Amino acid sequence: MTTPAAIDDQRVSDPVTGLPAIEIRNLRFRYPGAEAESLRGVDLTIDSGDFVAVVGGNGSGKTTLCKTFNGLIPHFWNGDISGTVRIQGRPTADRTVGEIANQVGYVFQDFGNQLVRPRVRDDVAFAPINFGHPDWAQRADAALASLDIPHLAGHYTWQLSGGQQHLTALAGALALAPTILVVDEPAAEVDPQRATAIYEHLTRLNTELGITVIVIEHHAELVARYARSVVLMADGAVRWHLPVADALSRTEDLEAADIPAPQVVAVTRALVPAVAAGHRPAPLTVAAAAELLGGHRTDRVAPPPIRPARHTRDLVAELDAVTHGYIAVGGGRSTVIDGLSLRLYDGERVALVGTNGAGKSTLLSVLAGLAVPSAGRVVVDGHDTRSMTAAELATSVCYLVQRPEEMFLQDSIRGDVAMFPAGRQLPDTEDIVDQVLARMNLTDLQDRDGRMLSGGQQRRATLAVALAMRPRLLLLDEPTSSLDLRSRDDVIGLLTALSGQIRCTVVATHDMHLVAEWADRVVVLDQGTIIADTDPATLFADPQTLRRARLVPPQVAQLGDALGLSPVPLSVPELVDRLRPTSKDTP
Amino acid sequence: MTAAVADATTERDRKRKGRDRASVEWVKVELMRVAYATRGGFLARRDPRAVLGWYVLLAVGPWLTYSEPTLVILGVVALGSALAARIGPLLLGLFLFGLLGQVAYLGVMVFVFGGNTSAIEGLVEVSLKLAIISLASMAAFVSLDPEKLSDGLAALRAPAVIGFGVSYAYRMIPLLIDELQTIIDGHRLRGAPPAGHGLLGWRTMRRIGAVAVQSFYPLFLNTAKRTRTTVEALETRGFTLTGGANPAGRRLRLAALRFTWADGLLLVATLAVVVVAFWAGAALAPHR
């Protein structure tokens, strides 16, 4: 079961055609104009009906590989190619992308740009109509029904949330009734609960309709829960293709590809020698890990975190019965935040969590003074936001929007960082900019355009922009969305390091790892009101609030809760430390 | 102490009403209402081909005459149609602003150069023609949502790329507006603060101009980045820029269009109105 040959032996063929879904032999490919080959001798067989996760570090050729499945390579990107790709036995080389699209559905990573029609149903019907399928209407309706989104049919695509857009893109691919579905990073831009929902849909398509599902995925936890086999790409070739349990126990290979093991695997490997040595399979779910670790249960209670009482600290910002909303296209005004009061103090690291549409971004924009609330009062750093323009407020509050591209207003990182101090004609502008660039490790990149950087570098650059503004209150909207895990850890580290210079930071986020590892206060929003204001450990042990706000705690907190630890642990080292059997507790 | 009091009073005097951004928001929402034909109106119910035909009749008519009575009748018809098509306050306001600007401009011309009114007459005539076409365009395009417009163009044998381009442009409008708003907010917050309005607001005007020019670069680079995926997706979804949609697809797409007797009646009635206007023009001004 542990060798690549093992999976080939048990290969399941398509019951009708008797052929594997995808068969690739010695495939090499170089993008037009590129120096090096992106694929270097790929050999891969994917069985019909499998659920495959393709993993690998940045630049390992994952996306390039997947674009050979539907013929975008070599028909759209016609670079140098050799070797064969067969889809259910038929080579892709002599067919068109359109023809293959009826067999292989593809959902892109930036799925929002895949939607080309104004309304959901028109978009889903777009491909069947283009291919001249007379039953396009039934196909579109069936695709919408299979994802439980018929209620969205009449919506405009620009009104949809990220998760809904993803389902629409998926429905658009399903409307061609493909037997193979490729989804590039389904969980990148949505909150954990929505990521789970998308994977549940994919699993149903896989088991009920027999569709072969191939996903590109960074999150080992999702791979563990849903995939049946894992392909590791490294340096443009398939390193191995293994059943999921074997794959996830090869932690060194995964670490090397920037895919940290799921937290339950990390914890059990640290605590159970048999798992670490590979004699027992690592548990893939929280329940399995809790069962395995049941014997380790201790009654040791971690000391409560030492937090200075709030009333002794300085007030940084205050919202008093704030109500705000937007003009609706249909007329009238929506209410996004409703009679909300909140005080933010010096030295706090606040995470703002809640579902999409709970009012997180609106709250940030009201705090930044970009919007003046329709009722109530916002005081930031001693100034009522009604008494100052947003530009004047910018000396004390800085707001980083969700998409970093929108923060890059100049043609170089240096220009963007310098924009605020230069605009305010600060005497030591050059020094400030040099210092900030050095501190954020951007000196080498300072002349590049922000748009051309990787996701992690972009976040670093926007944080540099904020740092040069020297705000007292820093507001960030989803700073870790669509980052791979290493870049995410980078951002969390930077945020921690910044806390010395910025008096109060508020982050609106879906990322519960960020909440666990960084925040010391969590404010939970639901339908424009605050339903909880607490610390992360208390929140993660409160099932009622979690359910209401549709939050999924990190595995380590779930595991700690299942083992009866209170307060729940927030990181792997903390849990390991609290569970590790000690010879004698020292007083 | 006194300084603090003075500070407090100036703060109290300068109340932001929240209108500065609310108005941008309103313009955005109003544009969406216009683009997606959410208000209904008498043309919104018609077949897109009939609407396009109606538009061509009213848009070409004015160029075939110099008769002022004809133009006045056509103008009244166009204004009535625009109101009945519910073009909404934003477009109407912009239109009136343009029209009043013209009138003011003509007034200045008369005042400065005096006497000779024949030149003014010519200018009034051209303005009237442009006004009719503007009103007709607004009435027609406010009544066509993007799907209808692109289907209508396809039905009239326009190249598939044009129909698709129209529909895709409509899809991009809200994204571009949002992105532009964020970029302009970025300039407001991070750029040099305004140093007062200046004489006749020249500083404000210069600032707005500079921000508009500087917003162009990030806006279009960001958009170009987005469309890379779109182009690949179009390929997989059976729409290639060279081939367009295949004929079977075109037939399916247009199968839902119905040209009814009411659509025919609209065209006949419009043609009749235009003919009557020309006839009235000839009758009222026989010397021309």
Side-chain angles (χ1 to χ4, degrees):
Chain A
M1 276 291 281
T2 53
T3 62
I7 205 159
D8 276 358
D9 291 343
Q10 326 171 323
R11 186 187 303 149
V12 183
S13 303
D14 189 291
V16 183
T17 59
L19 293 164
I22 295 172
E23 196 174 11
I24 297 178
R25 288 291 162 260
N26 196 25
L27 180 68
R28 310 181 80 85
F29 177 73
R30 189 170 65 202
Y31 278 104
E35 297 268 304
E37 286 183 319
S38 295
L39 297 177
R40 303 191 184 95
V42 173
D43 283 295
L44 178 66
T45 304
I46 291 175
D47 300 323
S48 270
D50 201 355
F51 195 128
V52 185
V54 179
V55 302
N58 286 338
S60 62
K62 305 184 297 279
T63 299
T64 307
L65 175 68
C66 288
K67 283 183 179 165
T68 66
F69 298 163
N70 68 345
L72 276 175
I73 292 172
H75 297 299
F76 185 80
W77 295 102
N78 31 10
D80 297 343
I81 189 163
S82 66
T84 56
V85 180
R86 288 170 198 275
I87 305 299
Q88 283 154 350
R90 300 185 57 187
T92 57
D94 52 1
R95 304 167 74 197
T96 64
V97 177
E99 233 181 297
I100 303 167
N102 285 283
Q103 275 182 304
V104 184
Y106 198 102
V107 180
F108 292 82
Q109 184 180 356
D110 49 340
F111 48 81
N113 301 326
Q114 190 172 350
L115 309 178
V116 291
R117 288 273 163 173
R119 283 181 200 264
V120 169
R121 190 160 183 276
D122 297 322
D123 193 80
V124 174
F126 183 67
I129 287 181
N130 283 338
F131 287 113
H133 295 300
D135 56 343
W136 60 272
Q138 291 92 302
R139 281 167 176 258
D141 291 336
L144 289 171
S146 72
L147 299 172
D148 299 330
I149 50 170
H151 60 281
L152 295 181
H155 283 50
Y156 293 115
T157 48
W158 45 271
Q159 287 179 321
L160 303 178
S161 69
Q164 291 171 332
Q165 280 189 2
H166 197 271
L167 290 176
T168 305
L170 204 55
L174 287 176
L176 287 174
T179 48
I180 300 166
L181 190 60
V182 183
V183 189
D184 194 345
E185 301 214 24
E189 295 199 25
V190 292
D191 56 274
Q193 185 128 358
R194 271 157 220 271
T196 311
I198 286 169
Y199 268 96
E200 295 289 346
H201 281 303
L202 291 177
T203 305
R204 229 171 30 154
L205 295 171
N206 177 250
T207 53
E208 288 174 18
L209 303 179
I211 295 176
T212 309
V213 177
I214 299 162
V215 294
I216 298 178
E217 185 54 77
H218 281 302
H219 295 83
E221 293 164 17
L222 291 169
V223 172
R225 260 171 82 186
Y226 296 102
R228 251 178 268 147
S229 70
V230 181
V231 172
L232 176 69
M233 288 291 289
D235 294 329
V238 173
R239 185 84 168 278
W240 39 252
H241 180 196
L242 293 173
V244 64
D246 296 341
L248 287 175
S249 55
R250 301 209 170 184
T251 40
E252 293 84 14
D253 292 353
L254 293 174
E255 293 276 357
D258 282 349
I259 302 174
Q263 289 184 326
V264 286
V265 175
V267 170
T268 43
R269 281 173 71 88
L271 290 170
V272 184
V275 172
H279 301 314
R280 287 181 70 167
L284 298 181
T285 61
V286 171
E291 204 182 308
L292 185 66
L293 293 173
H296 286 265
R297 185 169 165 177
T298 64
D299 295 324
R300 277 208 296 160
V301 174
I306 301 154
R307 282 150 45 81
R310 278 188 199 142
H311 56 83
T312 62
R313 305 188 189 180
D314 290 342
L315 194 63
V316 174
E318 181 180 11
L319 292 98
D320 185 22
V322 169
T323 298
H324 194 62
Y326 299 101
I327 307 172
V329 172
R333 210 169 228 290
S334 63
T335 304
V336 180
I337 51 182
D338 190 5
L340 186 146
S341 298
L342 180 68
R343 286 168 169 233
L344 301 171
Y345 295 90
D346 198 351
E348 281 188 326
R349 302 191 219 163
V350 184
L352 208 55
V353 300
T355 52
N356 291 338
K360 301 190 297 290
S361 298
T362 307
L363 184 53
L364 292 187
S365 121
V366 164
L367 267 174
L370 280 175
V372 178
S374 35
R377 212 167 68 103
V378 181
V379 180
V380 177
D381 200 19
H383 306 287
D384 189 323
T385 58
R386 275 205 178 78
S387 69
M388 284 183 121
T389 62
E392 287 167 323
L393 271 174
T395 49
S396 36
V397 50
C398 169
Y399 176 25
L400 297 187
V401 296
Q402 182 171 356
R403 298 188 51 229
E405 283 102 331
E406 292 172 351
M407 297 294 297
F408 299 133
L409 306 179
Q410 307 290 329
D411 57 4
S412 69
I413 297 290
R414 188 179 180 87
D416 276 309
V417 173
M419 201 175 155
F420 181 87
R424 311 273 152 156
Q425 293 170 335
L426 301 184
D428 47 351
T429 296
E430 290 300 308
D431 292 341
I432 296 176
V433 174
D434 285 334
Q435 273 173 25
V436 167
L437 287 172
R439 186 171 151 69
M440 302 305 272
N441 211 359
L442 286 166
T443 309
D444 293 341
L445 299 172
Q446 59 175 307
D447 296 324
R448 302 268 300 274
D449 187 304
R451 271 160 282 269
M452 304 301 153
L453 302 180
S454 73
Q457 290 169 335
Q458 288 190 348
R459 301 293 169 165
R460 206 132 48 87
T462 54
L463 282 173
V465 168
L467 208 52
M469 293 172 73
R470 297 195 283 195
R472 292 158 74 84
L473 177 62
L474 175 62
L475 311 169
L476 300 107
D477 200 350
E478 297 287 355
T480 56
S481 76
S482 48
L483 289 186
D484 62 67
L485 298 180
R486 174 149 306 177
S487 314
R488 189 185 72 179
D489 288 345
D490 246 24
V491 168
I492 295 178
L494 283 173
L495 281 176
T496 310
L498 285 187
S499 51
Q501 316 199 355
I502 290 160
R503 291 182 47 195
C504 179
T505 308
V506 181
V507 171
T509 187
H510 289 308
D511 181 352
M512 291 304 128
H513 288 267
L514 172 64
V515 175
E517 285 162 34
W518 171 81
D520 58 12
R521 180 178 173 195
V522 200
V523 175
V524 187
L525 285 185
D526 189 44
Q527 299 182 351
T529 54
I530 293 175
I531 59 168
D533 184 352
T534 174
D535 60 284
T538 314
L539 172 69
F540 292 147
D542 176 0
Q544 207 181 342
T545 308
L546 290 173
R547 209 168 29 244
R548 187 161 161 207
R550 312 218 294 167
L551 303 173
V552 181
Q555 280 191 332
V556 68
Q558 293 180 42
L559 181 56
D561 194 39
L563 294 172
L565 294 181
S566 174
V568 296
L570 296 175
S571 68
V572 171
E574 185 192 338
L575 178 60
V576 170
D577 193 42
R578 279 167 64 182
L579 288 184
R580 180 162 284 147
T582 41
S583 52
K584 194 83 183 168
D585 275 359
T586 45
Chain B
M1 185 68 190
T2 46
V5 171
D7 246 22
T9 46
T10 49
E11 285 207 352
R12 212 176 308 127
D13 290 346
R14 292 169 42 207
K15 282 268 190 259
R16 280 168 80 196
K17 292 281 163 41
R19 227 184 271 126
D20 54 352
R21 182 162 149 138
S23 60
V24 175
E25 196 192 330
W26 179 78
V27 168
K28 184 171 100 184
V29 170
E30 188 61 28
L31 277 178
M32 300 317 301
R33 286 174 182 155
V34 168
Y36 288 93
T38 54
R39 283 211 178 88
F42 81 111
L43 285 175
R45 287 190 292 274
R46 299 273 69 85
D47 185 274
R49 286 166 292 188
V51 177
L52 289 172
W54 177 90
Y55 169 60
V56 168
L57 282 176
L58 272 189
V60 172
W63 297 108
L64 303 179
T65 180
Y66 294 102
S67 153
E68 272 160 26
T70 306
L71 288 176
V72 170
I73 294 173
L74 288 177
V76 170
V77 170
L79 180 64
S81 309
L83 292 178
R86 304 189 191 162
I87 60 171
L90 176 69
L91 289 191
L92 200 61
L94 283 176
F95 171 74
L96 287 178
F97 180 77
L99 198 68
L100 293 179
Q102 281 278 353
V103 170
Y105 163 71
L106 287 178
V108 171
M109 294 281 282
V110 172
F111 180 75
V112 173
F113 297 108
N116 191 357
T117 52
S118 66
I120 302 299
E121 260 172 47
L123 284 173
V124 168
E125 206 175 86
V126 172
S127 311
L128 203 51
K129 287 179 180 180
L130 288 175
I132 294 168
I133 293 164
S134 317
L135 285 168
S137 320
M138 287 191 283
F141 292 103
V142 156
S143 307
L144 289 169
D145 69 19
E147 282 310 288
K148 259 179 121 171
L149 180 54
S150 71
D151 287 355
L153 289 170
L156 295 170
R157 302 253 162 217
V161 171
I162 292 184
F164 173 78
V166 165
S167 150
Y168 182 67
Y170 271 100
R171 158 164 156 54
M172 291 303 283
I173 290 172
L175 294 181
L176 289 180
I177 294 178
D178 273 344
E179 191 143 334
L180 181 64
Q181 195 176 355
T182 313
I183 289 171
I184 288 178
D185 277 344
H187 275 286
R188 273 170 64 199
L189 297 186
R190 286 161 53 197
H197 292 299
L199 182 66
L200 292 175
W202 74 273
R203 277 210 186 87
T204 311
M205 295 308 285
R206 189 183 65 178
R207 187 172 148 82
I208 291 174
V211 168
V213 171
Q214 288 176 18
S215 302
F216 189 81
Y217 166 79
L219 183 65
F220 279 81
L221 278 186
N222 292 352
T223 312
K225 234 180 127 188
R226 281 167 184 266
T227 48
R228 253 193 338 202
T229 299
T230 308
V231 175
E232 283 185 38
L234 284 176
E235 200 82 12
T236 66
R237 305 184 74 188
F239 190 102
T240 53
L241 286 177
T242 43
N246 71 18
R250 181 175 173 279
R251 249 177 283 120
L252 288 177
R253 190 179 293 290
L254 302 182
L257 291 185
R258 292 272 176 279
F259 196 88
T260 61
W261 61 269
D263 295 314
L265 189 65
L266 172 75
L267 286 183
V268 171
T270 313
L271 189 62
V273 167
V274 173
V275 168
V276 165
F278 274 75
W279 173 80
L284 290 174
H287 59 280
R288 278 225 176 175

